[in-house]
Amino acid sequence: MQAHAAVALPLVLALEPVAGTAPARPTLTRDEASALAAHVADDLVRLLPDLAHTRLALAGALFDLVELLRPGFPVWSTLEELARRLPQAQLAQVVAFGSRDGRMPVQPLQPDPAFAQGPLRLLPIVLLAPAALADTLRQTLETELVGRGEAGTVCADALMRLFDVRLEHARYLTRDDLLALACVQYEHVNLAPLWTLLETALLDPSTGVTTQSARGLELALTAGTVRVSSPARWLEGQHGDGAQRRHAFAGAIFELRQYAALLEAHGLALALDGGSPAPAGLLLERFPAPTTAAPSRAYAHTAPGLGIVAVSVVQDTAETNRPHPLAHLYPLAPAALGELRALLAAQFGIEAWDSGPIALTDQGRLGVPGAALH
């Protein structure tokens, strides 16, 4: 059986360090990864003897869940591609890929240090199985790893020694197990709609899906991008007095920032539905400009603990004696404030702005102090 005719079965070896500890390094050298891969192979073959007929490929690197669960599953697909390239004619063998001077052989197998402190460290594995065995092995792995997936003592000891970390648990999971774990985690923190978007992007990217956040923001996945409805328009549909509406708007922006950060971590972009192009971490909602030219000014809406939640750009017009709205901007990350400042200068000629609490019109819309903003 040639490797190119085999079926890939993605797994992970999930490490749960003792609370308050973390692995001393994110990658293993090639020799270290090879030694660990041999222990992993022994564990899996003891569990399922038919796995002796597969090629086991292991990346000697620890990842976070968000790095593995990205559209196209780039870590697993890269590991699979490398395993298939090997020249050996026989499928059954164990191969490992490690680092040199801390760098893995290809970029997709290099862990991002930004995610190095997560509570679960994941070491990716791919099994290349003969087509005739693949379905049976897949089903058996799903069943057996649930109850018997703990790493063996020799393998667990090697993990603790190689990564210089104490472990509470080390166990094997299928990719479907990892998907189920992510689903539970996001549902537990009231982010089930996020999982709806992510699951579709991972498993059925050719289709779209529409959902609604816990606060009622409309979210739609289309062509690999998540589009969100206008927070200002959402505010128009809310009820309550001014204080309640301000609190609701701040909460919606906080929720939107959560979505933006997690979607980015999972490799998905967030854009404003019907919005204008804007730098990463910034949403831009523009309105038609008046026919009469006039200077523009901006007001930054702030909320306790969140900083600037929106910036409204208006143009004062003599015809209506009220400001004409030009744009709302929504910064979704601290790093976006520099981009916001540059965009205001480049597109509106604004170098400075007033700021204060979230300003609302008499109708409860997002406004600027002392005047209506429609």
Side-chain angles (χ1 to χ4, degrees), residues 98-155:
S99 63
R100 181 176 181 180
D101 298 327
R103 302 299 301 177
M104 294 295 286
V106 289
Q107 184 57 38
L109 296 186
Q110 185 69 39
D112 187 337
F115 304 112
Q117 300 304 312
L120 198 64
R121 304 285 82 207
L122 303 171
L123 193 145
I125 301 165
V126 168
L127 301 176
L128 294 181
L133 289 176
D135 285 343
T136 299
L137 286 175
R138 181 184 293 108
Q139 294 171 12
T140 307
L141 283 167
E142 293 286 353
T143 302
E144 294 296 325
L145 292 186
V146 170
R148 302 170 56 202
E150 284 285 342
T153 301
V154 174
C155 185

Side-chain angles (χ1 to χ4, degrees), residues 295-343:
S296 302
R297 59 186 176 94
Y299 178 78
H301 307 265
T302 64
L306 298 179
I308 297 175
V309 293
V311 173
S312 296
V313 181
V314 300
Q315 187 179 92
D316 294 312
T317 58
E319 290 85 351
T320 61
N321 197 32
R322 62 172 52 185
H324 181 94
L326 296 180
H328 295 312
L329 299 93
Y330 310 97
L332 302 182
L337 292 178
E339 299 284 3
L340 185 151
R341 186 178 295 275
L343 189 150

Side-chain angles (χ1 to χ4, degrees), residues 5-356:
V7 176
L9 305 176
L11 307 175
V12 293
L13 178 50
L15 282 59
E16 183 183 349
V18 170
T21 68
R25 54 181 175 148
T27 64
L28 302 177
T29 67
R30 181 177 177 181
D31 288 344
E32 291 169 334
S34 295
L36 179 60
H39 297 315
V40 169
D42 288 343
D43 279 354
L44 293 176
V45 170
R46 275 197 299 270
L47 186 65
L48 292 175
D50 280 346
L51 292 180
H53 302 295
T54 68
R55 172 179 291 173
L56 184 150
L58 176 145
L62 297 177
F63 293 88
D64 189 82
L65 180 146
V66 298
E67 297 178 276
L68 295 186
L69 299 185
R70 290 175 175 171
F73 301 109
V75 174
W76 276 301
S77 62
T78 300
L79 184 57
E80 175 189 344
E81 180 184 356
L82 292 176
R84 291 185 187 277
R85 287 181 186 176
L86 295 177
Q88 291 91 337
Q90 295 300 315
L91 181 62
Q93 57 189 292
V94 177
V95 296
F97 302 93
S99 63
R100 181 176 181 180
D101 298 327
R103 302 299 301 177
M104 294 295 286
V106 289
Q107 184 57 38
L109 296 186
Q110 185 69 39
D112 187 337
F115 304 112
Q117 300 304 312
L120 198 64
R121 304 285 82 207
L122 303 171
L123 193 145
I125 301 165
V126 168
L127 301 176
L128 294 181
L133 289 176
D135 285 343
T136 299
L137 286 175
R138 181 184 293 108
Q139 294 171 12
T140 307
L141 283 167
E142 293 286 353
T143 302
E144 294 296 325
L145 292 186
V146 170
R148 302 170 56 202
E150 284 285 342
T153 301
V154 174
C155 185
D157 287 345
L159 287 166
M160 289 189 285
R161 175 175 50 81
L162 290 169
F163 289 107
D164 190 19
V165 65
R166 291 183 297 138
L167 298 176
E168 290 282 4
H169 300 285
R171 65 179 303 112
Y172 299 98
L173 304 173
T174 67
R175 185 162 68 195
D176 284 348
D177 291 334
L178 197 63
L179 289 165
L181 177 63
C183 175
V184 171
Q185 288 180 344
Y186 285 130
E187 288 180 347
H188 182 68
V189 292
N190 206 27
L191 290 173
L194 173 72
W195 178 248
T196 298
L197 298 165
L198 181 58
E199 183 180 36
T200 302
L202 293 172
L203 302 181
D204 197 7
S206 62
T207 66
V209 66
T210 300
T211 186
Q212 194 175 77
S213 75
R215 291 186 176 271
L217 289 169
E218 296 290 336
L219 297 153
L221 174 69
T222 55
T225 296
V226 175
R227 301 190 179 279
V228 62
S229 57
S230 161
R233 288 200 300 272
W234 172 88
L235 177 63
E236 293 175 11
Q238 302 308 299
H239 303 287
D241 60 23
Q244 291 171 321
R245 295 169 74 89
R246 290 183 183 91
H247 180 75
F249 184 75
I253 296 298
F254 174 75
E255 181 184 60
L256 189 55
R257 289 178 176 178
Q258 284 184 300
Y259 273 73
L262 288 168
L263 288 169
E264 181 183 13
H266 282 286
L268 287 169
L270 179 68
L272 186 67
D273 188 25
S276 300
L282 186 64
L283 302 181
L284 171 60
E285 181 179 18
R286 298 193 67 134
F287 307 102
T291 55
T292 304
S296 302
R297 59 186 176 94
Y299 178 78
H301 307 265
T302 64
L306 298 179
I308 297 175
V309 293
V311 173
S312 296
V313 181
V314 300
Q315 187 179 92
D316 294 312
T317 58
E319 290 85 351
T320 61
N321 197 32
R322 62 172 52 185
H324 181 94
L326 296 180
H328 295 312
L329 299 93
Y330 310 97
L332 302 182
L337 292 178
E339 299 284 3
L340 185 151
R341 186 178 295 275
L343 189 150
L344 287 174
Q347 297 193 22
F348 301 101
I350 296 174
E351 299 288 347
W353 56 77
D354 295 328
S355 64

